[in-house]
Amino acid sequence: MADAAPDRSARRETIVLAGLAAAALACAVLYMTIGVRGGWAFVLPFRAPKLAGMVVVAVAVAFSTVVFQTVTRNRILTPAIMGFDSLYVAIQTALVFVFGSRVLATLDADWRFIGETSAMVGFSVVLFRWLLSEHGRGIHLLVLTGVVFGMLFRSLASMLQRVLDPNEFSALQDLLFASFNTIDAGLLGVTGLASGVCCAWLLSIHRTLDVLSLGRDAAVGLGVPHARLVTRLLFVVAVLVSASTALVGPIAFFGLLVANLAYLAVGHRHRPALVASALIAVVAVVGGQAVLEHALKLGGVLGVVIEFVGGIAFIVLLMRGIHR
Amino acid sequence: MQSAVESSGAGRGWLVPAGTVIALVVLSLASVLVGVGHVDVAALLSGRADPDTLRLLLVSRVPRTAAIILSGMAITIAAVIMQMLFRNRFVEPTTAGTVEAASLGLVLVAILAPGLPILARMAAAASVALVATVLFLRLVERIPARSGLIVPLAGLMLGGVIQAVTVFLALRFDLLQSLATWTNGDFSGVLRGRYELLWIGFAVAAGAYWVADRFTVAGMGESFAANLGLDHRRIVATGLVIVSLVTSASVVTVGTIPFLGLIVANVGSLVMGDNLRRTLPWIAVSGAAFLLACDLAGRLIRHPYEIPVGTVAGVLGSALFLMLLLRPGTRLG
């Protein structure tokens, strides 16, 4: 490839990625330093774990969304819109239901996460393989089915919570529902490790992912074991969704936003797209939280803002007919 | 119903309507008798019931049952009207942003004019719901490809966007708790004197039955309606006002009940066919029966506690919605 054109686009790509990395770093510094009063010894243990948690969530959501869109060959599908994270919440609740809240509360956070994630992987791979095999019936049916599945999981979770113990219902909600403001620092180690391994693997097979995005027939023709690869990718997506949901709870449209922005910035090749989407996600979460929490004193609304912007973006994508 | 004779299954045309009415009667009796406080049926029938039991029935059980029947019928009729106006089987107040807009209206009232009487609150909720539904109608008209499934999808997302605004305001003004009561349907707070607004919603919905034909015609398109000498815009506007009023009446008094109208209307047209003039009353009766069944289930699953009817209907409703979607032969998008 000695042409001038690919060379120029490669340079453009490098510049864009470097710019995004700088922006992400700036946001992290901003988040750590804005409005700091008193010594670092006081601020650091407060803000550092939250920053780390937000970075893990951002990277996990970005990677899982891009990979999921490659598997489904579609730009409006994301794991969250298809109900993956509601499934995780339902599984969390179901495990509390089966084993009792007292047992789970005394259990180590790491082990609880591992147990929940294993159940999640088993369930979601079976469910979504089946759903994706319905893909032939039309993309809108697939998305609408996913959305309604998400509602079913959410209603089931809240039903189980009520059945479990209507009086301690709100106490249980603290155990189950995290948010950007209450990142569960106890889970940082295990979720960070799990997401790190998954993301490293995805980056290492970026060329195979490029081939996969050509579609099933082309990929099989080029020697990609399609069925096995898709199962493994769904497995990884399930782990990444579990990590981000365990840390901050469901965030429906976040992945949709960052993945589509990344395609706009660097195109569809997987190495730059994965890296760019992760960096954009860090900028959005860390920068957004820095501005909202420390500058505007609006803690707790980042998820709502993402929901608002993402919902509008989804409708726009839908109206434009961009389904690819 | 004289037109039952004309239908193809003339011999059993009365079976389904009779079934729905019997179900409604049985479920209503059950709803009046089931609860934490004991009701002695034998004493009641022989006229020797003690005053406490009578008071329990008149203040709590009967109003609750009435509220369920009224809102079940009204919501179902509103959903059917929406399906006709949007020409889409999967549109109803909870898949078009109407319900979310009604609760946004309530939050706005709670912030701007907290002292308003309940009728004014309902009017405010209805106006916001009307604005959102008109917005959704404009949106649907701009959808490029005629795909039946994009419409509810866009509606659900629009609902999410409106809900985000509502949650933001509620967070800022400390109203999350009030918001929770409007977004999850629950009849446990219904007592005499606290549900009468539903009569208005029901009356409006029942009035809509008399002009049901016009909605069918309006659903066939603007030029078709004009050909028949009907003012398309006025019919659509009437329909949307009715839907907004019914929705806000039920959101103000009992909260949101997801997918109720969608499920009942679709199953109803599967079983009874599409002649709405004939089937609408029975579809409405089935809506009330379905809601009664959900409420009873919520009361019985963890007796003596209650699971809100909105949660029960959410589980049943989304499961049935999925079955409708994945049924072989669903029109593809």
Side-chain angles (χ1 to χ4, degrees):
Chain A
M1 292 270 214
D3 298 345
D7 201 36
R8 203 181 315 139
S9 81
R11 194 173 324 137
R12 192 185 106 90
E13 214 173 86
T14 320
I15 293 171
V16 169
L17 289 182
L20 285 175
L25 203 64
C27 286
V29 172
L30 197 68
Y31 180 78
M32 291 301 288
T33 54
I34 218 171
V36 168
R37 262 173 273 131
W40 277 108
F42 179 69
V43 174
L44 210 57
F46 256 123
R47 292 196 183 177
K50 277 178 87 171
L51 178 64
M54 286 191 281
V55 171
V56 171
V57 169
V59 174
V61 169
F63 272 61
S64 61
T65 307
V66 171
V67 169
F68 192 72
Q69 298 197 333
T70 301
V71 170
T72 55
R73 303 189 64 214
N74 193 292
R75 273 177 59 185
I76 59 170
L77 281 185
T78 75
I81 291 174
M82 293 295 292
F84 263 75
D85 46 9
S86 310
L87 175 62
Y88 183 76
V89 173
I91 286 174
Q92 269 186 324
T93 320
L95 287 180
V96 176
F97 185 72
V98 173
F99 295 109
S101 58
R102 265 190 229 126
V103 177
L104 284 196
T106 53
L107 202 63
D108 188 30
D110 291 352
W111 285 108
R112 216 174 67 216
F113 174 75
I114 291 170
E116 286 159 2
T117 306
S118 320
M120 166 80 177
V121 166
F123 256 106
S124 59
V125 170
V126 172
L127 176 62
F128 290 97
R129 272 218 74 103
W130 170 68
L131 263 184
L132 294 180
S133 70
E134 297 269 311
H135 197 163
R137 296 179 64 190
I139 185 65
H140 300 135
L141 181 64
L142 180 64
V143 187
L144 192 58
T145 311
V147 170
V148 181
F149 256 117
M151 293 183 171
L152 176 63
F153 296 142
R154 269 197 297 284
S155 318
L156 273 176
S158 72
M159 175 110 128
L160 280 182
Q161 284 161 22
R162 300 283 181 150
V163 176
L164 199 65
D165 194 337
N167 292 325
E168 288 173 25
F169 166 64
S170 58
L172 188 72
Q173 268 193 321
D174 286 344
L175 182 74
L176 289 178
F177 289 108
S179 79
F180 280 111
N181 256 30
T182 57
I183 288 179
D184 191 344
L187 282 172
L188 260 182
V190 64
T191 52
L193 187 70
S195 326
V197 171
C198 290
C199 294
W201 180 66
L202 289 174
L203 273 179
S204 76
I205 59 161
H206 69 96
R207 287 178 203 287
T208 321
L209 293 175
D210 287 341
V211 175
L212 186 66
S213 61
L214 298 173
R216 187 179 175 279
D217 293 346
V220 170
L222 289 167
V224 171
H226 187 268
R228 192 163 28 142
L229 183 63
V230 165
T231 306
R232 282 183 188 168
L233 291 175
L234 283 177
F235 181 103
V236 167
V237 167
V239 173
L240 289 173
V241 170
S242 306
S244 81
T245 315
L247 282 174
V248 299
I251 24 173
F253 291 111
F254 187 47
L256 180 84
L257 283 177
V258 296
N260 279 294
L261 284 174
Y263 301 145
L264 278 180
V266 294
H268 282 270
R269 281 176 51 239
H270 277 84
R271 191 157 58 169
L274 285 170
V275 176
S277 64
L279 289 173
I280 293 172
V282 171
V283 170
V285 172
V286 179
Q289 191 71 353
V291 171
L292 289 175
E293 184 184 340
H294 297 319
L296 301 178
K297 303 286 173 214
L298 284 172
V301 301
L302 181 60
V304 180
V305 173
I306 290 174
E307 198 87 345
F308 179 72
V309 179
I312 291 176
F314 184 91
I315 295 174
V316 169
L317 285 174
L318 206 60
M319 306 291 288
R320 289 232 188 117
I322 301 178
H323 305 134
R324 210 2 297 239
Chain B
M1 288 265 107
Q2 67 217 44
S3 53
V5 186
E6 299 156 18
S7 73
S8 56
R12 49 187 196 91
W14 52 273
L15 249 177
V16 175
T20 57
V21 172
I22 291 171
L24 184 68
V25 171
V26 170
L27 286 165
S28 313
L29 283 177
S31 168
V32 170
L33 296 179
V34 167
V36 178
H38 179 69
V39 173
D40 189 347
V41 184
L44 205 63
L45 288 179
S46 57
R48 284 181 283 105
D50 59 307
D52 274 355
T53 310
L54 279 177
R55 215 166 58 95
L56 173 73
L57 285 180
L58 290 180
V59 173
S60 166
R61 297 282 174 75
V62 172
R64 178 176 188 152
T65 309
I68 298 169
I69 294 174
L70 291 175
S71 52
M73 293 177 100
I75 292 172
T76 312
I77 292 174
V80 171
I81 292 174
M82 279 188 100
Q83 292 177 3
M84 285 191 273
L85 291 180
F86 283 81
R87 277 181 283 172
N88 190 301
R89 280 190 182 285
F90 294 124
V91 171
E92 69 127 44
T94 55
T95 61
T98 313
V99 161
E100 286 81 0
S103 48
L104 173 63
L106 289 176
V107 167
L108 285 176
V109 169
I111 294 169
L112 299 174
L116 281 186
I118 189 150
L119 219 59
R121 288 215 301 267
M122 178 186 143
S127 348
V128 180
L130 185 63
V131 170
T133 317
V134 170
L135 180 76
F136 182 57
L137 193 65
R138 294 273 169 278
L139 205 71
V140 168
E141 282 165 1
R142 282 158 167 258
I143 285 178
R146 290 297 308 169
S147 165
L149 295 169
I150 289 191
V151 176
L153 197 55
L156 285 168
M157 295 303 160
L158 181 68
V161 171
I162 298 174
Q163 175 113 38
V165 177
T166 316
V167 171
F168 179 82
L169 289 175
L171 269 169
R172 294 289 291 142
F173 293 92
D174 244 348
L175 290 166
L176 271 185
Q177 213 138 40
S178 324
L179 183 63
T181 61
W182 296 321
T183 48
N184 197 2
D186 189 1
F187 287 101
S188 62
V190 169
L191 292 174
R192 189 171 61 195
R194 291 180 56 184
Y195 79 101
E196 279 72 5
L197 217 51
L198 288 172
W199 282 104
I200 300 180
F202 176 73
V204 172
Y209 176 62
W210 299 113
V211 285
D213 291 347
R214 290 165 190 238
F215 295 127
T216 315
V217 173
M220 306 212 166
E222 196 166 351
S223 49
F224 188 88
N227 261 340
L228 293 183
L230 289 172
D231 186 346
H232 182 259
R233 288 175 61 96
R234 213 171 76 197
I235 301 169
V236 172
T238 315
L240 293 183
V241 168
I242 290 172
V243 167
S244 310
L245 280 174
V246 169
T247 304
S248 52
S250 64
V251 170
V252 170
T253 39
V254 294
T256 309
I257 295 146
F259 304 145
L260 169 67
L262 190 153
I263 300 303
V264 175
N266 276 291
V267 174
S269 80
L270 275 180
V271 177
M272 296 185 260
D274 273 332
N275 180 357
L276 275 170
R277 194 60 159 164
R278 185 165 62 85
T279 57
L280 191 58
W282 312 121
I283 289 180
V285 169
S286 339
F290 180 75
L291 196 55
L292 271 172
C294 288
D295 186 65
L296 271 174
R299 279 193 264 171
L300 290 174
I301 290 174
R302 181 145 174 108
H303 192 79
Y305 300 110
E306 278 196 24
I307 298 170
V309 68
T311 308
V312 180
V315 172
L316 281 178
S318 38
L320 289 169
F321 191 1
L322 278 175
M323 283 165 66
L324 286 172
L325 280 175
L326 296 174
R327 192 166 50 93
T330 301
R331 278 178 301 166
L332 307 184

